[in-house]
Amino acid sequence: MLLLLVDEPTLILSLAHKRWAQNEAEKIVLDGDLMSASLPCTASGTTEADT
């Protein structure tokens, strides 16, 4: 699962692995650790990594 969030002046990227639940049919759960990274944005809207 991928989530992008813009919270001026920062771009936040979050990642998680999802899988089918073992005990409940038709349900999905998040599995393992959640990962996230924050990138400061410049005034033009690009990240510092782009410049």
Side-chain angles (χ1 to χ4, degrees):
M1 178 179 294
L2 173 68
L3 172 68
L4 291 173
L5 175 66
V6 176
D7 184 18
E8 294 294 333
T10 305
L11 174 66
I12 302 167
L13 170 67
S14 297
L15 300 168
H17 182 260
K18 63 182 186 176
R19 64 170 174 80
W20 292 107
Q22 294 176 355
N23 298 332
E24 299 181 52
E26 304 297 322
K27 292 202 176 178
I28 296 175
V29 296
L30 295 179
D31 189 23
D33 295 333
L34 302 176
M35 305 291 284
S36 68
S38 299
L39 299 170
C41 293
T42 63
S44 65
T46 61
T47 65
E48 290 181 0
D50 293 336
T51 57

